[in-house]
Amino acid sequence: MNKKLLGFILFAVMAVFSLVYVGRSDAGDTASVVKSVCDLMDISVLQKHIPITNKANIVSKRDVHGVCEMIVDIPVDANGGVEQVSLYATPNFVIAGEMYANKSQVTMNTLNALSARKFKDLQPEIDKAVGLHVESKGKPKHTLYMFSSPSCPHCQSASAELVKILEKDTSTELKVLFYAGGEARDKSIAAVCEKMDLSTYVNTDWVKKLQQKKPMCVDGIQVVDKSTAIARKLGISGVPCFFTEKGEMIQGANMAAIKKAIQG
């Protein structure tokens, strides 16, 4: 369904179901007004309407236009991977999707704030899982984090563009973390073990040269496995994916957004 149409339908439903909830006291004969619809919401209430595991974690909830906006992390594997879903609910119904109001992306604003907070919480771990590091030529003003894979064409094209950008930008450092499995994991480990610079990494000739010897060092394995686990914790669903030092996430090879972020 078209996102704008979904947003319109969702907002219309919000207007219809904007209610004041009244609860009963323990005695059962005195009404008391519930201040927040979110006070009534938890996993057990959601389970009355949708199939959701007890292991799901509500990471955020707030009142929005008469309903409770709930951001829920649902485990997808045993390695800490989660799928993050946005729900708008009352005890009577649950709507999954995005909300728009007054030409603002309500859901996306919430998700971006949560993503930035989670990134900052994980930043000490993130800095220990860097596979490639391009230092700034002067004192670093910005740090750009890139989650990438050697088998991702869009990652390679973005990396090539970053080489050009960083040649002119003397105040930005780049930290590349690998999010890869299978053959791409082996290539990522090789890149870490060889201590490659970005220019060498972008030139894919190194892949052919390493096919025969495939260097596998302990540090490389640990770094790549750690960065892959972090990517899952952050809920990254595809690469390339970028973060600024403030935790602002930029999905995809959106070079215009990247330039704006590091030039600010």
Side-chain angles (χ1 to χ4, degrees), residues 58-255:
I58 300 173
V59 296
S60 171
K61 62 180 182 177
R62 63 173 183 144
D63 279 28
V64 179
H65 297 293
V67 297
C68 183
E69 176 191 74
M70 307 174 75
I71 308 301
V72 183
D73 279 351
I74 300 175
V76 295
D77 58 43
N79 298 314
V82 296
E83 177 184 2
Q84 198 165 74
V85 298
S86 52
L87 305 173
Y88 292 87
T90 76
N92 297 324
F93 65 86
V94 175
I95 298 173
E98 296 185 32
M99 178 188 285
Y100 294 78
N102 301 318
K103 297 183 179 180
S104 175
Q105 294 178 301
V106 176
T107 307
M108 189 56 64
N109 291 340
T110 300
L111 292 176
N112 287 342
L114 287 173
S115 176
R117 188 175 72 190
K118 185 179 288 188
F119 180 88
K120 295 298 289 183
D121 289 342
L122 291 171
Q123 198 160 9
E125 293 181 46
I126 292 170
D127 284 329
K128 294 177 182 178
V130 174
L132 299 176
H133 184 199
V134 181
E135 296 182 0
S136 61
K137 295 181 178 66
K139 184 178 180 180
K141 181 179 178 182
H142 296 291
T143 301
L144 184 66
Y145 295 83
M146 176 184 185
F147 284 85
S148 181
S149 168
S151 298
C152 161
H154 294 297
C155 298
Q156 293 302 104
S157 61
S159 297
E161 188 66 25
L162 282 170
V163 170
K164 299 175 183 177
I165 293 173
L166 296 176
E167 284 177 354
K168 299 178 180 178
D169 188 325
T170 60
S171 61
T172 298
E173 63 175 342
L174 173 68
K175 296 183 177 182
V176 179
L177 294 94
F178 293 109
Y179 184 20
E183 185 180 347
R185 175 179 175 272
D186 292 343
K187 293 177 183 177
S188 300
I189 293 170
V192 175
C193 293
E194 290 291 301
K195 304 184 185 303
M196 289 185 187
D197 58 38
L198 187 62
S199 297
T200 303
Y201 175 74
V202 169
N203 184 349
T204 54
D205 287 346
W206 67 268
V207 175
K208 298 175 183 177
K209 294 177 182 178
L210 292 175
Q211 278 180 340
Q212 294 180 344
K213 62 176 184 175
K214 289 185 178 179
M216 299 284 280
C217 61
V218 174
D219 286 347
I221 294 171
Q222 291 178 343
V223 165
V224 173
D225 287 350
K226 187 181 295 184
S227 62
T228 297
I230 289 171
R232 292 195 180 106
K233 288 180 182 178
L234 289 170
I236 295 174
S237 57
V239 290
C241 183
F242 298 86
F243 288 87
T244 68
E245 72 276 1
K246 295 179 181 179
E248 176 190 355
M249 182 170 65
I250 302 171
Q251 294 179 311
N254 188 342
M255 304 313 294

Side-chain angles (χ1 to χ4, degrees), residues 44-55:
S44 65
V45 177
L46 293 178
Q47 288 174 329
K48 294 177 181 178
H49 304 288
I50 57 176
I52 188 170
T53 174
N54 286 325
K55 295 181 180 180

